[in-house]
Amino acid sequence: MKYIFVVPSMPMGGAEKQISYLVDHLSSKVSNQGEVVALLQGRPEDVSFGLDVMQSGQANAIVKMVARMHAFVVAYFKLLTLGQTFVFYNQLFLPLAVALKFSGKRVAFSIREYDKRFYSGWRKYCLQKMNLIYTNTERVSNESSLIGCDVKFVRNFHAFEKEASYRPNKSNDSLNCVIVSNVEPHKHIHIAIKALEGFSCKLEVLGKCDNPEYLGECKRLAQELGVNACFHGFVNSDDVNRYLRNADLFLHPSSQEGTSNAILGAIDVGVPMIVSDIPENLAVVSNLQYTFRLADVKHLKDKIVESFSWSASGVATLRADVVLQYSNTNLIALDKILERLGR
């Protein structure tokens, strides 16, 4: 069977990374194959339509809505000719997904992070029409069952190295922190900036900066508080690992996540970390030593001070546990779940 994974663009974020893992896994088999369709732009091996459905740079809400509707109509007719089995993950694509379902296609939808809007109104209606729904978070699986949706739960996969590459090398009194995240309000980068006030530090933010309003807010806040914050935009995975190996702390203050690939990547490197205590993060980082109360600036600041005395053994134990939970068996499990689309 050929699965067509529809994404806004490649590369983009954690969901696209998981899709690329799964497509590579499928490509190693004879019975099933995976293909990525990137509506805007993709990798050389992907199908690309050149359609900007996100319209991130468009400030006018009406113009954005009309442009998206036009892009979806064009994408619908193009997708109709490509295959029979489609997989979507972005809630923006729900109308497109249900349109393909009503056209006789088999459609799966992956819910990547908890959003209460999924469980009422037109979004709930669209979800209930899908052939298959799966998620990488237990919270979404539990909540979705309340609206009568059978949602399959399978954890993310991460290609862990055999050993952590992080080697503490503190050469000065300055604190070097890294955030791996797109610059969006729900990522709570402003919380990290506030918590770092008063420290001699540098904050490296690695992730797409498609929200100019929030980016400007974070830059102004950093300047006001005397925090040396550098926003690098999208950074490839090799460079992300280099930043993590040279960091004193990985920070992940987000208020909304699926299973964070950024956290898995930081655990792989072995860098000390502090993450917000939302359920999705706690499912990965179960040791409360490495968590802080969501949006609590003082608690995060206290945790940063506390981190100066942490031992390396705690991070090593965390890594060993996570490697077992997010292994290649999760890809195999997801492959089996997707096979139900063909029945």
Side-chain angles (χ1 to χ4, degrees), residues 143-163:
E143 291 286 341
S144 299
S145 66
L146 299 178
I147 63 168
C149 288
D150 180 21
V151 179
K152 306 303 179 185
F153 167 63
V154 58
R155 290 185 175 92
N156 274 8
F157 164 73
H158 183 85
F160 285 94
E161 299 293 335
K162 289 184 178 180
E163 294 183 355

Side-chain angles (χ1 to χ4, degrees), residues 5-16:
F5 297 86
V6 185
V7 302
S9 192
M10 287 284 272
M12 194 172 178
E16 289 80 11

Side-chain angles (χ1 to χ4, degrees), residues 69-83:
M69 290 176 61
H70 175 262
F72 280 143
V73 170
V74 175
Y76 167 76
F77 287 106
K78 286 179 177 287
L79 290 171
L80 278 177
T81 65
L82 290 184

